[in-house]
């Protein structure tokens, strides 16, 4: 009996101890609660208010940059970085070792940044460490698309699903993406963090010039208390950036880039720039800037030299002649101007011509590119007031900013000179392209005005804004909108046509039986260490086509060719000619793209269907294949039409045209279907129809 009482006493004693500590703990909680909610209430309320009053910036979604047809040139996309947590709660190292061979094999097949052996070593390396020292965010891959992320989740070991067992995690981040790669890359531009903050803003090209529109307007958020947590709540919503619709035509951009690259590669030039513009609207349909790759073979997108100032050489004679005709300085085009071996105007160094003749007809000055003839005409009016030439250009609107939307744009530098010997000498040089700095885009604008019956439209790269501001931008004009009268423009068009088609034209190399080209050659020595280096030249050709009814104007500038071609017509002019002929071949000049339907055998050269050879082969030089692209070789498709399904439009067109076929396509992105089907026996010159999808 005593034993039972003792057990009961022990149990009650233990219960008493437990109750005592429960009461102590409860008292402590009540005291602490009272202290927090009553005694120190003001302190905690103040702290809470500080947190709730905090605001943060909401970064707005950046607007897209679109081509003229709505194709995306630059956009924001989500990318992912794959990591592994080797200290995850239930990380199973045994399963990883079990699946490592197959996992490494699949990773190597789909992500060949490492081979199978390297992947295996990379994945197992953290297991050599103590469990407590293994990494928690071990990097596997970055720059992954959503499809890549889903693919990794299906691989051996990772497909076990539970991230606490596999350790697989993905970090999402936003990145500016250019679906067409380097196409028009410098004109589109790039983005990056600013020095002032970590905000992403434009740092070059359209991204920079139109940053305020693309960036939008940042919003603000304030902390709010929910049942289980404090979170951000928008106070002022962010305003998304506008989408910018450019004037770029994807098809034409592809042609211009390829033809510029081909000729630069053929002549070994340092760099080149080409701009293609719609005559009526001033829309820049294509713009390409290429320079030698300093880190490897081939050419890469370079600085946007289309808006940088250079001595233009003889292409500026067209501007001088336009003023002379418009102002009545020259009215008799049969007048003979004495030239001889040189002309020492105003006691300066004699002006010379590349081709010696005793005299030249005034109407042939552009055709034969006579420096002396041009100087004699212009000094006839401005001899006593050389600064009048500058004033005339200013009145014309030629010195006004264009505001094309291209970052880095500068106006021409043409000095206003005094009426002394030095000023007169400077005038005589300025009128044929020296002692000036004129961006290629300004030169192009003058030729475009001549092609456009004197209407002086501004080149532009932006035609529409979409978003919070919806606005279609109409064509704008330089000066008062008139460079010259329609009559003067017609006279100049005839002169420029003679540069190519005249008996003594400096652009005779550009003759062809497909597209009639008009334009002007220009050569200028490069300045190095304050003096002209006669061994280095910049070679220009500026013109328009078709000459009889101009649709597009084009300016090409080539710097320092080192092999094969050394003249303005054979370098820059060849680029323009190849562009014109390729536009014709694709039916982009208002013509049928099938040669046979638009020309008889007696009208001009015979094409693929009858001779089985590519008429562009000699014109475009070696075929430029984008680095790293798996383009099918024409020699590998002798059994019929090449299979281009799955290739990008650029790769498909290069493959088919180099195999001797014409190409038509609809849509954008990659080839989904083709007709005739791959392997079909089709004669060279046949049209291959492609359906594209993204």
């Amino acid at each position: 009996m005593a034993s039972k009482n003792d057990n009961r006493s022990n149990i009650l004693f233990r219960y008493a101890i437990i109750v005592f500590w429960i009461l102590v703990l409860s008292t402590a909680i009540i005291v602490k609660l009272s202290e927090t909610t009553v005694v120190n209430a003001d302190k905690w309320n103040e702290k809470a208010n500080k947190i709730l009053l905090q605001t943060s910036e909401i970064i707005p979604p950046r607007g897209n940059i679109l081509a003229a047809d709505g194709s995306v040139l630059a956009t924001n996309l989500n990318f992912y970085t794959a990591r592994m947590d080797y200290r995850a709660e239930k990380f199973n190292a045994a399963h990883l070792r079990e699946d490592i061979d197959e996992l490494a094999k699949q990773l190597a097949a789909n992500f060949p940044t490492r081979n199978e052996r390297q992947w295996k070593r990379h994945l197992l390396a953290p297991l050599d460490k103590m469990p407590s020292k293994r990494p928690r965010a071990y990097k596997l891959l970055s720059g992954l698309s959503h499809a890549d992320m889903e693919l990794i989740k299906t691989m051996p070991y990772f497909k076990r699903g539970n991230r606490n067992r596999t350790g697989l995690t993905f970090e999402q981040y936003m990145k500016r993406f250019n679906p067409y790669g380097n196409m028009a890359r410098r004109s589109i531009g790039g983005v990056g963090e600013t020095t002032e903050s970590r905000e992403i803003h434009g740092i070059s090209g359209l991204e920079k010039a139109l940053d305020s529109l693309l960036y939008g307007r940042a919003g603000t958020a304030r902390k709010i208390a929910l049942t289980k947590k404090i979170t951000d709540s928008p106070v002022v919503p962010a305003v998304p950036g506008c989408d910018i619709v450019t004037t770029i035509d994807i098809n034409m951009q592809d042609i211009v880039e390829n033809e510029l690259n081909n000729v630069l590669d053929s002549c070994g030039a340092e760099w080149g720039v080409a701009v293609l513009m719609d005559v009526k609207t001033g829309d820049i349909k294509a713009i390409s800037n290429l320079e030698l790759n300093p880190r490897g073979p081939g050419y890469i997108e370079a600085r946007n030299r289309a808006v940088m100032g250079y001595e233009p050489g003889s292409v500026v004679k067209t501007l001088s002649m336009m003023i002379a005709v418009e102002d009545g300085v020259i009215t008799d085009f049969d007048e003979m101007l004495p030239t001889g071996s040189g002309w020492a105007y105003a006691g300066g160094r004699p002006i010379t011509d590349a081709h010696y003749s005793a005299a030249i007809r005034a109407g042939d000055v552009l055709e034969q590119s006579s420096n002396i003839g041009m100087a004699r005409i212009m000094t006839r009016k401005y001899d006593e007031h050389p600064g009048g030439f500058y004033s005339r250009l200013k009145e014309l609107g030629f010195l006004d900013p264009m505001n094309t939307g291209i970052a880095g744009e500068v106006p021409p530098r043409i000095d206003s000179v005094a009426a002394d010997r030095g000023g007169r000498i400077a005038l005589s040089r300025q009128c044929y392209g020296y002692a000036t700095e004129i961006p290629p885009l300004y030169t192009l604008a003058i030729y475009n005005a001549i092609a456009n019956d004197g209407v002086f439209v501004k080149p532009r790269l932006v035609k529409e804004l979409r978003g919070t501001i919806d606005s279609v931008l109409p064509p704008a004009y330089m000066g008062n909108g008139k460079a010259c009268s329609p009559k003067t423009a017609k006279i100049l068009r005839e002169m420029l046509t003679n540069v190519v088609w005249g008996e003594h034209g400096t652009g005779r190399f550009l003759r062809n039986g497909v597209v009639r080209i008009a334009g002007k050659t220009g050569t200028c020595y490069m300045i190095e260490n304050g003096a002209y280096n006669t061994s280095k030249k910049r070679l220009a050709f500026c013109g328009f086509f078709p000459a009889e009814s101009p649709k597009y104007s084009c300016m090409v500038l080539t710097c320092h060719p080192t092999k094969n071609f050394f003249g303005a017509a054979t370098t820059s002019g060849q680029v323009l000619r190849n562009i014109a002929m390729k536009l014709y071949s694709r039916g982009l000049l208002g013509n049928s793209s099938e040669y046979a339907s638009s020309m008889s055998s007696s009208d001009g050269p015979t094409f693929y269907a009858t001779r089985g050879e590519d008429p562009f082969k000699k014109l475009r030089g070696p075929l430029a294949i984008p680095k790293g692209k798996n383009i099918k070789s024409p020699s590998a498709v002798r059994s019929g039409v090449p299979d281009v399904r799955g290739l990008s439009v650029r790769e498909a067109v290069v493959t088919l045209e180099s195999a001797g076929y014409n190409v038509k396509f609809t849509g954008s992105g990659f080839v989904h279907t083709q007709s005739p089907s791959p392997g079909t026996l089709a004669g060279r010159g046949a049209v291959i129809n492609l359906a594209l999808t993204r």
Side-chain angles (χ1 to χ4, degrees):
M1 186 70 179
S3 177
K4 289 182 179 180
N5 290 333
D6 289 342
N7 288 336
R8 184 180 179 188
S9 297
N10 288 335
I11 292 171
L12 291 174
F13 179 72
R14 291 173 183 174
Y15 275 126
I17 293 174
I18 293 172
V19 170
F20 172 77
W21 284 112
I22 290 174
L23 291 173
V24 170
L25 183 60
S26 299
T27 303
I29 292 173
I30 293 170
V31 171
K32 192 65 178 177
L33 182 63
S34 300
E35 183 182 337
T36 302
T37 59
V38 179
V39 179
N40 295 324
D42 292 341
K43 173 185 173 182
W44 289 108
N45 287 335
E46 182 182 354
K47 188 173 184 179
N49 288 334
K50 284 183 179 180
I51 294 175
L52 294 175
L53 289 174
Q54 287 179 1
T55 59
S56 58
E57 187 175 62
I58 303 174
I59 304 300
R62 190 171 181 84
N64 301 318
I65 298 179
L66 310 174
D69 64 354
S71 300
V72 177
L73 298 177
T75 189
N76 299 314
L77 288 184
N78 287 324
F79 288 87
Y80 303 86
T81 298
R83 298 182 183 275
M84 279 184 67
D85 180 1
Y86 283 80
R87 282 191 279 164
E89 183 179 354
K90 296 182 180 180
F91 182 79
N92 196 318
H95 284 163
L96 177 58
R97 294 184 190 277
E98 178 184 327
D99 295 335
I100 190 63
D101 291 334
E102 188 60 29
L103 175 59
K105 182 178 180 180
Q106 290 198 23
L107 283 170
N110 291 281
F111 305 100
T113 52
R114 296 182 178 91
N115 60 35
E116 186 175 341
R117 185 179 61 182
Q118 291 170 333
W119 269 116
K120 185 174 180 179
R121 186 167 61 244
H122 184 70
L123 291 166
L124 294 179
L127 298 182
D128 295 335
K129 300 178 181 179
M130 295 290 293
S132 61
K133 293 186 178 180
R134 291 172 183 171
R136 304 219 61 167
Y138 191 61
K139 184 177 178 181
L140 301 182
L141 291 160
S142 61
L144 299 172
S145 67
H146 186 270
D148 293 333
M149 179 180 68
E150 294 301 321
L151 174 63
I152 291 174
K153 291 178 180 179
T154 66
M155 292 182 178
Y157 179 69
F158 295 138
K159 67 182 179 182
R160 295 177 184 271
N162 191 329
R163 58 180 290 180
N164 283 328
R165 294 182 181 275
T166 65
L168 180 64
T169 61
F170 292 95
E171 293 177 0
Q172 179 180 315
Y173 62 94
M174 190 74 74
K175 182 180 178 182
R176 198 68 168 166
F177 181 68
N178 300 93
Y180 288 92
N182 286 330
M183 180 176 284
R185 188 71 183 86
R186 284 291 174 175
S187 298
I188 296 168
V191 299
E193 293 182 1
T194 64
T195 55
E196 294 81 10
S197 70
R198 299 195 64 183
E199 293 178 358
I200 301 298
H201 289 279
I203 57 176
S204 63
L206 281 176
E207 296 274 21
K208 179 179 179 180
L210 303 175
D211 184 69
S212 60
L213 293 171
L214 288 165
Y215 184 76
R217 190 166 63 249
T220 56
R222 181 176 293 171
K223 301 289 185 183
I224 61 170
L226 300 179
T227 305
K228 294 184 178 181
K229 63 178 180 179
I230 293 178
T231 187
D232 289 328
S233 176
V235 177
V236 179
V239 178
C242 293
D243 288 346
I244 305 295
V245 182
T246 70
T247 59
I248 294 292
D249 183 293
I250 294 297
N251 299 328
M252 296 182 186
Q253 181 68 36
D254 180 65
I255 291 171
V256 169
E257 287 190 6
N258 277 318
E259 298 309 326
L260 178 62
N261 185 88
N262 292 342
V263 172
L264 292 181
D265 186 62
S266 297
C267 68
E270 287 184 3
W271 55 262
V273 56
V275 185
L276 181 69
M277 193 162 81
D278 184 280
V279 166
K280 297 299 181 183
T281 63
D283 288 355
I284 297 173
K285 310 304 291 184
I287 181 169
S288 181
N289 298 269
L290 299 177
E291 68 180 19
L292 279 170
N293 185 353
R295 301 179 186 85
Y299 290 83
I300 59 174
E301 272 288 323
R303 289 180 294 171
N304 209 326
R305 291 185 169 90
V307 294
M308 297 171 62
Y310 298 98
E311 280 191 326
S314 293
V315 287
V316 87
K317 288 174 183 169
T318 301
L319 171 60
S320 299
M321 182 63 78
M322 182 189 76
I323 292 173
V325 174
E326 181 74 3
D327 294 354
V329 180
I330 183 75
T331 55
D332 182 5
F333 299 110
D334 291 323
E335 176 188 350
M336 298 304 294
L337 303 171
T339 53
S341 58
W343 182 45
Y345 172 70
R349 185 176 179 178
I351 302 170
T352 60
D353 285 337
H355 308 286
Y356 170 79
S357 61
I360 188 172
R361 180 176 167 272
D364 295 337
V365 166
L366 293 187
E367 178 183 338
Q368 299 183 41
S369 196
S370 172
N371 295 337
I372 299 174
M374 196 71 258
R376 282 191 177 278
I377 291 172
M378 295 308 291
T379 56
R380 180 180 298 180
K381 177 173 184 179
Y382 297 112
D383 178 69
E384 295 183 1
H385 54 291
F389 182 64
Y390 171 88
S391 299
R392 184 67 175 87
L393 294 178
K394 189 173 181 62
E395 174 191 341
L396 191 66
F398 186 69
L399 307 180
D400 295 346
M402 285 184 170
N403 300 316
T404 57
I406 301 175
E409 177 189 304
V410 298
R413 183 193 65 78
I414 300 176
D415 296 335
S416 177
V417 292
D420 56 17
R421 176 178 173 273
R424 294 165 67 206
I425 294 173
L427 164 68
S428 68
R429 270 58 172 175
Q430 288 176 349
C431 69
Y432 62 81
Y434 281 81
T436 63
E437 289 183 358
I438 300 176
L441 207 54
Y442 277 81
T443 303
L444 177 59
I446 285 294
Y447 281 74
N448 193 83
I450 292 169
N452 197 21
D453 276 336
V455 180
F456 202 3
V457 293
K458 282 187 177 182
R460 65 172 186 168
L461 201 54
V462 177
K463 70 174 186 178
E464 186 179 347
L465 304 177
R466 297 176 183 172
T468 53
I469 304 173
D470 285 327
S471 177
V472 176
L473 308 177
Y477 301 91
M478 302 286 286
N480 62 7
K482 295 291 288 184
C484 63
S485 66
K487 179 180 178 181
T488 297
K490 182 179 179 182
I491 293 171
L492 265 293
R493 286 199 297 272
E494 292 174 357
M495 290 183 176
L496 293 172
T497 301
N498 288 337
V499 171
V500 177
W501 302 93
E503 182 180 354
H504 303 290
T506 58
R508 297 191 304 277
F509 177 82
L510 306 181
R511 294 176 180 177
N512 65 86
V514 180
V515 183
R516 195 168 176 83
I517 293 168
K520 179 74 183 74
T521 55
T523 302
C524 190
Y525 294 121
M526 296 173 61
I527 297 177
E528 291 185 349
N529 300 320
Y532 287 109
N533 183 342
T534 56
S535 66
K536 288 188 174 184
K537 299 177 181 178
R538 280 191 304 272
L539 304 165
F541 190 87
C542 194
F544 44 83
F545 54 86
E548 61 277 9
S549 181
K551 189 172 179 65
Y552 296 106
S553 58
C554 185
M555 171 77 186
V556 185
L557 186 61
T558 304
C559 179
H560 187 41
T562 58
K563 61 182 181 180
N564 297 330
F565 304 114
F566 300 94
T570 56
T571 55
S572 295
Q574 185 178 174
V575 175
L576 184 145
R577 177 182 65 179
N578 294 356
I579 291 170
M581 295 179 73
K582 188 62 69 65
L583 290 175
Y584 183 91
S585 76
R586 298 190 188 176
L588 297 175
L589 294 183
N591 62 296
S592 167
S593 63
E594 298 185 42
Y595 292 114
S597 66
S598 59
M599 297 182 64
S600 67
S601 59
S602 60
D603 288 335
T606 308
F607 295 96
Y608 303 140
T610 54
R611 289 184 58 186
E613 88 183 13
D614 182 350
F616 301 119
K617 185 175 180 180
K618 293 180 180 179
L619 303 179
R620 64 187 174 208
L623 178 66
I625 298 178
K627 186 177 180 181
K629 299 294 185 182
N630 183 25
I631 296 180
K632 300 174 177 63
S633 168
S635 62
V637 292
R638 294 173 182 169
S639 58
V641 176
D643 185 358
V644 295
R645 290 171 299 180
L647 297 183
S648 69
V649 61
R650 176 184 294 198
E651 295 165 345
V653 169
V654 169
T655 300
L656 291 170
E657 288 188 345
S658 59
Y661 300 101
N662 292 322
V663 182
K664 285 184 177 180
F665 56 87
T666 57
S668 61
F670 297 86
V671 179
H672 181 260
T673 57
Q674 65 179 87
S675 177
S677 58
T680 302
L681 296 177
R684 286 178 174 259
V687 176
I688 310 301
N689 294 289
L690 306 178
L692 309 177
T693 185
R694 296 186 184 180

